[in-house]
Amino acid sequence: MKQATLHQLKVFEVTARHGSFTRAAEELFLTQPTVSIQMKQLTKAVGLPLFEQVGKRLYLTTAGKELLATCQDVFERLDQFEMTVADLKGVKQGYLRLSVITTAKYVIPRLLGPFCQRYPGIDVSLTVTNHEQVVERLRENQDDLYIPSHPPENIDIHCHTFLDNPLVVLAPRSHPLAGETNIPIHRLSGESFIMREQGSGTRQAVEKLFAEHSVSIKVRLELGSNEAIKQAIAGGLGISVLSRHTLALEGAAGQLVILDVEHFPIPRHWYVVYPAGKQLSVVARAFFDYLQDEGRQVIESNLGENLHSGLAMTSTRA
Ligand code: PGA
């Protein structure tokens, strides 16, 4: 492997990602024969085939998979080194990769705004997906930091909670239970319900609470998006349980109301998490500390009234 060059490892990583010499060549602005020669030389240095071709697509061999994992480690360490050097020079710059659950998209961009203003040299990639996918990305070490609503089990992690994320029952304004207070939870039995998809943390929390209280709801529709669920509620398709933060921009005159059902809101929190063995880059560490030290305060001053309009709906529901 001593004969392999960093450039070859980069070409290999891109080829493995695309499963194609041609697409790798396009991304790297090289010709296809150059990519294929580089991969031949790398294969020779490794002493085992790295790809096998099935039809037009390249698949990694076992040696190829091992090499890909090694490349990812090497590039991550080099990125970290660059960020450390920038830090030593007195500037924070580099790349911050975040993956967050769907509800966090209502607050993370608000937190990133002031953070990126403070450190203009930082570029961010934000992946928004459901709980299961966030945990999968964490297992595969795809990002710097992860934001779930409950810390994943069976993974050794560092984790810190930074904001509440309560789940509430949402209904259209015209719903017969809309004006009532302290509604017994079993009154939801038989209601048409709009449920998040399998793998969603919201869904897990809702199913757990309903199972604990033997409430059986009628799932009429399953949707993979909080916004689509809000539209479906407004459209009269049923009620649902979502994070109160999904109402942040709705205002008190919106089409949805929070029902005052016993055992709600389900108390939840957002956590910022990274794998225990991972050495955080300077930039990721700065964001982790920022969430921990200033997250709540920034959100309250930034979303303040809108955040509380969700709360106000709770108190004006009667
Ligand atoms: P979900 O997570 O997008 O997987 O439902 C949201 C949450 O747990 O708050």
Side-chain angles (χ1 to χ4, degrees):
M1 273 308 279
K2 295 239 163 63
Q3 289 149 19
T5 63
L6 260 187
H7 177 63
Q8 284 169 348
L9 295 183
K10 182 71 207 159
V11 174
F12 168 73
E13 189 270 327
V14 178
T15 307
R17 190 152 33 80
H18 289 297
S20 150
F21 289 142
T22 313
R23 306 251 326 262
E26 278 164 18
E27 179 174 326
L28 294 164
F29 301 107
L30 296 172
T31 63
Q32 198 264 358
T34 309
V35 169
S36 122
I37 288 168
Q38 295 290 321
M39 289 308 89
K40 266 198 195 119
Q41 288 170 350
L42 185 63
T43 305
K44 203 162 148 218
V46 172
L48 282 173
L50 300 171
F51 296 105
E52 52 199 10
Q53 181 145 15
V54 180
K56 282 197 170 163
R57 199 180 154 85
L58 297 171
Y59 291 88
L60 288 174
T61 60
T62 307
K65 284 181 192 153
E66 286 294 322
L67 183 60
L68 180 60
T70 307
C71 285
Q72 282 161 345
D73 282 353
V74 169
F75 293 132
E76 188 177 324
R77 294 290 295 146
L78 283 174
D79 281 348
Q80 286 182 354
F81 174 70
E82 257 181 78
M83 293 186 225
T84 307
V85 169
D87 197 42
L88 290 173
K89 288 180 186 160
V91 279
K92 290 220 178 351
Q93 69 181 34
Y95 211 67
L96 175 64
R97 284 164 308 179
L98 300 174
S99 87
V100 312
I101 47 160
T102 60
T103 48
K105 78 170 178 206
Y106 296 95
V107 296
I108 291 298
R110 306 284 180 146
L111 288 161
L112 280 169
F115 182 76
C116 291
Q117 262 164 20
R118 192 177 302 171
Y119 305 117
I122 294 179
D123 293 324
V124 182
S125 98
L126 177 65
T127 302
V128 179
T129 183
N130 71 17
H131 179 79
E132 190 174 79
Q133 295 298 318
V134 168
V135 174
E136 193 53 36
R137 293 180 71 90
L138 168 72
R139 272 187 212 286
E140 292 183 358
N141 189 27
Q142 292 193 22
D143 307 283
D144 296 309
L145 296 170
Y146 306 83
I147 296 183
S149 262
H150 58 98
E153 286 132 28
N154 310 324
I155 309 183
D156 206 6
I157 49 167
H158 289 291
C159 147
H160 182 80
T161 167
F162 64 97
L163 210 59
D164 299 340
N165 178 29
L167 300 182
V168 295
V169 184
L170 294 180
R173 266 191 187 277
S174 56
H175 195 279
L177 295 176
E180 296 197 20
T181 54
N182 212 12
I183 302 161
I185 191 167
H186 65 80
R187 295 268 306 267
L188 300 185
S189 288
E191 281 284 335
S192 284
F193 201 87
I194 307 161
M195 186 65 106
R196 284 282 308 276
E197 78 289 2
Q198 285 285 355
S200 143
T202 307
R203 176 178 180 141
Q204 244 174 36
V206 172
E207 287 182 338
K208 181 162 170 277
L209 183 76
F210 285 164
E212 276 165 15
H213 296 280
S214 312
V215 174
S216 70
I217 40 150
K218 218 169 42 198
V219 177
R220 184 160 184 204
L221 195 59
E222 209 178 282
L223 289 174
S225 142
N226 298 323
E227 286 303 311
I229 290 183
K230 281 163 54 187
Q231 294 298 331
I233 299 171
L237 285 165
I239 63 168
S240 189
V241 173
L242 292 180
S243 163
R244 192 171 58 207
H245 288 279
T246 62
L247 297 177
L249 295 178
E250 295 292 311
Q255 298 185 40
L256 310 183
V257 282
I258 297 175
L259 297 185
D260 179 18
V261 180
E262 63 174 352
H263 307 297
F264 283 91
I266 305 176
R268 305 185 89 218
H269 311 277
W270 283 305
Y271 297 85
V272 54
V273 169
Y274 63 93
K278 188 176 176 87
Q279 196 189 342
L280 283 189
S281 69
V282 172
V283 168
R285 165 61 56 195
F287 192 65
F288 185 87
D289 292 343
Y290 165 78
L291 286 185
Q292 188 165 335
D293 301 340
E294 301 170 57
R296 174 176 297 274
Q297 191 195 332
V298 172
I299 282 302
E300 273 172 6
S301 62
N302 196 310
L303 266 177
E305 273 184 23
N306 290 318
L307 194 65
H308 294 296
S309 71
L311 293 170
M313 290 171 81
T314 321
S315 52
T316 55
R317 69 202 153 220

